[in-house]
Amino acid sequence: MRKNKKREFQSSELVKSFARIHGFEDKLVAFEIKDFLEDYLDEALFDEIKSVNLEDKIITIKVNSPLVKHDFQMRKSFFLKKFQEKFGENQFNDLQIL
């Protein structure tokens, strides 16, 4: 008869542990930011986001549309504050809209 192992992990814990070991925690956080934006923005605005990246505590959001890019730049401090509230104050220093 086989005994169940006492170590049981949730899949999210395993993914975070794997990311930490292999050094791509920032990419995992960038995916979480993109998921947050998908829930927060309407579909038309979200579709204009080309990519989200995090490097050296700076969030970089690449936007296709010049109008949407300008809107993000005007509300840069608002979005940075939202991200800091959601993911932690010390996790991000700046937000760049490209």
Side-chain angles (χ1 to χ4, degrees), residues 14-50:
L14 283 174
V15 170
K16 287 178 183 177
S17 176
F18 183 80
R20 190 174 359 333
I21 290 169
H22 295 286
F24 56 91
E25 288 175 290
D26 289 349
K27 196 63 178 170
L28 193 60
V29 174
F31 284 131
E32 290 176 14
I33 292 170
K34 192 164 185 177
D35 287 343
F36 173 78
L37 287 172
E38 185 175 16
D39 293 339
Y40 190 78
L41 301 173
D42 69 350
E43 188 176 343
L45 285 176
F46 180 74
D47 288 343
E48 293 297 329
I49 295 176
K50 185 176 182 180

Side-chain angles (χ1 to χ4, degrees), residues 45 48-51 61-70 72 97-98:
L45 285 176
E48 293 297 329
I49 295 176
K50 185 176 182 180
S51 68
I61 300 176
K62 292 184 181 177
V63 181
N64 290 329
S65 166
L67 288 173
V68 175
K69 184 187 302 184
H70 181 70
F72 267 95
I97 312 297
L98 307 174

Side-chain angles (χ1 to χ4, degrees), residues 45-87:
L45 285 176
F46 180 74
D47 288 343
E48 293 297 329
I49 295 176
K50 185 176 182 180
S51 68
V52 177
N53 204 354
L54 175 64
E55 192 172 321
D56 298 326
K57 296 188 175 189
I58 298 172
I59 304 168
T60 306
I61 300 176
K62 292 184 181 177
V63 181
N64 290 329
S65 166
L67 288 173
V68 175
K69 184 187 302 184
H70 181 70
D71 185 47
F72 267 95
Q73 288 171 341
M74 295 296 288
R75 298 173 32 185
K76 175 182 170 178
S77 60
F78 169 79
F79 279 109
L80 181 59
K81 187 175 180 179
K82 279 283 188 196
F83 297 146
Q84 288 173 335
E85 287 173 3
K86 175 89 173 148
F87 300 102

Side-chain angles (χ1 to χ4, degrees), residues 3-9:
K3 232 180 176 181
N4 286 340
K5 289 185 177 181
K6 291 185 180 181
R7 284 189 249 150
E8 291 185 16
F9 295 101

